[in-house]
Each structure stands twice: as C-alpha cells, then as structure tokens.
Amino acid sequence: MDLALIKEKQIKITVKKRYAKPYIQKIKNIVWNQFEAVCEFESESFDFDEEVNITLFFLCTEKQYDHLLEIIRSRFQNSIHMEVI
C-alpha cells in the first residue's frame, strides 16, 4: 500500500445516549478488523442530551473509507444517523 494514499477521515454519527458506547466499540472493531487501523472518537454532546453526536477519526485510503461506509450502512441500517465528512 502506498502511504501517500492514506488520508485523515472522519465520520459523524448520532445515536441514542444509552447505546453510544456499544456503537463506538462496534465501529472501532470494524475499523481494526477490516483495515488494521486505530479509530479515535470525540463526543460533541452534553450529559443531558437524549441523543449523542460522536465523531470518529481514523486514517485510511479512499477505497477503504468507501468500504467502511458500506459496512456501517449495511450492519446498522436505520439505527444510527451518519454524516459523511
């Protein structure tokens, strides 16, 4: 793999507060298992919010990014709102 093709990528998701940690963990596992990459996250919500906004940060190629989006859409379907950045 050519390192010049690796880019900084982000995905923003909105999920129910109770399920934020499981969703984060599942997506981090997908990123690691599929691409051997580490995924960091940042919550942009407050404790009293019913839904939380989370941004996931990782490094990958465009092809990997597109594949990751397909995986997330197929596995989680309508349970999360995802904003592609």
Side-chain angles (χ1 to χ4, degrees):
M1 181 184 309
D2 184 3
L3 290 179
L5 298 176
I6 294 175
K7 298 180 180 179
E8 296 175 352
K9 292 293 188 176
Q10 300 177 35
I11 297 175
K12 286 190 176 190
I13 62 170
T14 303
V15 296
K16 294 177 184 175
K17 182 178 181 176
R18 286 193 160 155
Y19 298 99
K21 287 181 183 179
Y23 278 115
I24 292 167
Q25 191 59 45
K26 285 286 188 191
I27 293 172
K28 287 175 77 171
N29 285 341
I30 291 168
V31 170
W32 175 255
N33 291 331
Q34 295 288 322
F35 312 114
E36 295 182 356
V38 176
C39 180
E40 295 295 328
F41 71 94
E42 181 178 284
S43 177
E44 302 169 1
S45 299
F46 299 99
D47 288 340
F48 53 83
D49 291 340
E50 288 297 316
E51 290 188 332
V52 292
N53 299 312
I54 300 160
T55 304
L56 299 140
F57 303 91
F58 50 93
L59 300 174
C60 67
T61 65
E62 283 295 330
K63 186 176 180 179
Q64 289 173 326
Y65 185 68
D66 292 341
H67 184 60
L68 175 62
L69 295 177
E70 288 177 22
I71 292 170
I72 292 172
R73 286 183 182 121
S74 69
R75 290 196 185 169
F76 300 114
Q77 295 185 1
N78 297 327
S79 55
I80 64 172
H81 171 74
M82 182 170 55
E83 180 182 337
V84 178
I85 300 173

